[in-house]
Amino acid sequence: MIEFYPNSIYYPREAVEEKLAKGELAKTEEHLMGWTERHRGEIWDCARDDADEPTDEILLDNLRALLLCKGSLQPAAEMGDMIKEITKEVWYRNENGPEAPDMVAAEWRAKYLTKWREARMFEAFILIEKRAAQLLKILKG
């Protein structure tokens, strides 16, 4: 089984599972289901390279592998979320005196972008595990 865990931050599995239980990953789950639907053919093509009749685990592993290659479930939505985070940082930093938003954004990207993306990917991998039945239904549908 292909696994993913953030290298640049400590993000415990329990924290992600708690967010899932609270419904805080609903949008990410929606993006994952849509992404799986859009990439179903490509996932199957890759899975057939592993086996003529791919098992459920092979299908899910190829979903994970393709997601790692693509790097994002929904680039536009993630960009919007990133802009919201940067806007919060600009607001916070300007509480102590004016700072140029472009500089704050550049610093945020340098300091947090990799960590932020890794956290997103980790959440997607937990969702793949927790929603395997729904994802397989999409893949086999």
Side-chain angles (χ1 to χ4, degrees):
M1 179 170 97
I2 296 174
E3 294 184 358
F4 178 85
Y5 190 79
N7 289 319
S8 63
I9 58 170
Y10 175 66
Y11 192 16
R13 177 185 223 8
E14 296 79 22
V16 177
E17 290 174 348
E18 185 177 322
K19 284 176 80 171
L20 179 59
K22 291 179 179 178
E24 295 174 11
L25 296 180
K27 200 65 159 168
T28 305
E29 185 173 344
E30 181 183 321
H31 291 307
L32 175 62
M33 298 303 165
W35 186 92
T36 302
E37 180 70 39
R38 287 189 309 278
H39 293 89
R40 180 174 50 205
E42 198 172 352
I43 293 165
W44 271 96
D45 289 345
C46 294
R48 285 191 185 108
D49 287 343
D50 294 336
D52 290 337
E53 295 294 324
T55 64
D56 291 352
E57 193 55 41
I58 289 173
L59 286 169
L60 291 173
D61 262 353
N62 279 279
L63 184 153
R64 291 179 189 103
L66 188 60
L67 178 57
L68 283 172
C69 289
K70 300 280 185 190
S72 177
L73 288 172
Q74 184 67 275
E78 288 184 12
M79 183 63 76
D81 290 343
M82 190 177 358
I83 289 168
K84 288 177 190 172
E85 289 299 316
I86 291 170
T87 301
K88 286 185 214 175
E89 183 74 10
V90 168
W91 176 83
Y92 174 74
R93 299 252 305 257
N94 278 290
E95 287 285 300
N96 297 321
E99 290 192 47
D102 291 347
M103 291 296 287
V104 173
E107 289 174 19
W108 186 94
R109 284 191 305 272
K111 188 173 183 179
Y112 299 112
L113 183 60
T114 300
K115 297 171 187 178
W116 189 81
R117 289 216 166 149
E118 285 183 358
R120 289 289 183 112
M121 189 64 66
F122 185 53
E123 291 169 354
F125 267 64
I126 298 292
L127 282 168
I128 291 168
E129 177 186 316
K130 300 293 184 181
R131 302 296 188 254
Q134 292 107 307
L135 291 165
L136 287 166
K137 187 175 179 180
I138 291 169
L139 289 169
K140 293 177 178 181

